[in-house]
Amino acid sequence: MNEPRWPVADLDPVRRLRIMAASIPGATYAEEVFARSVHEVWAVAGDLEAEFPMLLGDVRTMRIARADGERLEVVAVGRLGQRARFDVVIRPGWCWMQSRFLHGGMAAAPEGDGTRVAFLGALRIPGMRLADPILRTLPLGGRVLRRLEARLQARAAG
């Protein structure tokens, strides 16, 4: 008896993050193409302890509390001292973070001679569907990507 063949959709990390952003109410999302390799981009975007706090204006520190392969537990401390524990999945070109109140993600994939980079941020609280049209217009994602580009330029110059 022949087994049915299910369709397979290979999605690069950016496309996967774009789909997640479309399905999460109130998500802020941005993507851009940088004239840099995936390796260069991910050296900054994937460095959760040293670089990631520099990308997010409201995060003072991030510390990896536990690691098991690509799964991490990260403790973030905000500028006002607030703390959050995140469950993280990180691999080259992909980072997904979830705390009790937040979703966050970054992704990178080759595009031509450069790299397409994406950022997603969303609150995990009741009522987000009602606020969705307003929250999707906020420029948070674009700010994070501009800070990422600035960090890449600083590394290249230094």
Side-chain angles (χ1 to χ4, degrees):
M1 183 168 155
N2 289 338
E3 300 255 344
R5 292 191 180 217
W6 293 97
V8 175
D10 263 343
L11 298 175
D12 68 42
V14 173
R15 287 187 176 122
R16 188 176 323 126
L17 195 64
R18 191 183 306 143
I19 289 167
M20 291 174 79
S23 69
I24 296 172
T28 182
Y29 179 81
E31 66 179 64
E32 291 183 23
V33 176
F34 292 167
R36 301 185 184 278
S37 71
V38 173
H39 177 74
E40 288 175 285
V41 170
W42 208 250
V44 174
D47 186 346
L48 299 182
E49 289 184 314
E51 293 286 353
F52 207 77
M54 300 179 98
L55 305 180
L56 297 171
D58 55 346
V59 175
R60 185 173 11 140
T61 63
M62 292 187 83
R63 182 182 53 83
I64 297 171
R66 187 179 53 79
D68 184 12
E70 64 183 24
R71 296 190 177 277
L72 309 175
E73 180 180 307
V74 174
V75 177
V77 178
R79 299 271 177 228
L80 302 175
Q82 69 275 35
R83 294 182 173 285
R85 187 193 66 77
F86 285 87
D87 293 318
V88 178
V89 175
I90 189 163
R91 61 181 72 105
W94 177 258
C95 179
W96 181 252
M97 307 171 75
Q98 234 174 242
S99 75
R100 183 174 171 199
F101 296 112
L102 298 168
H103 292 292
M106 288 197 76
E111 182 157 317
D113 291 337
T115 300
R116 182 168 292 277
V117 184
F119 172 83
L120 174 152
L123 293 171
R124 295 181 69 189
I125 57 176
M128 294 311 298
R129 288 201 190 286
L130 297 172
D132 185 73
I134 296 166
L135 293 172
R136 288 199 184 269
T137 65
L138 296 178
L140 171 66
R143 281 197 304 260
V144 170
L145 294 182
R146 283 190 299 280
R147 287 180 182 144
L148 175 57
E149 180 61 29
R151 294 297 306 146
L152 288 164
Q153 288 174 4
R155 276 192 171 200

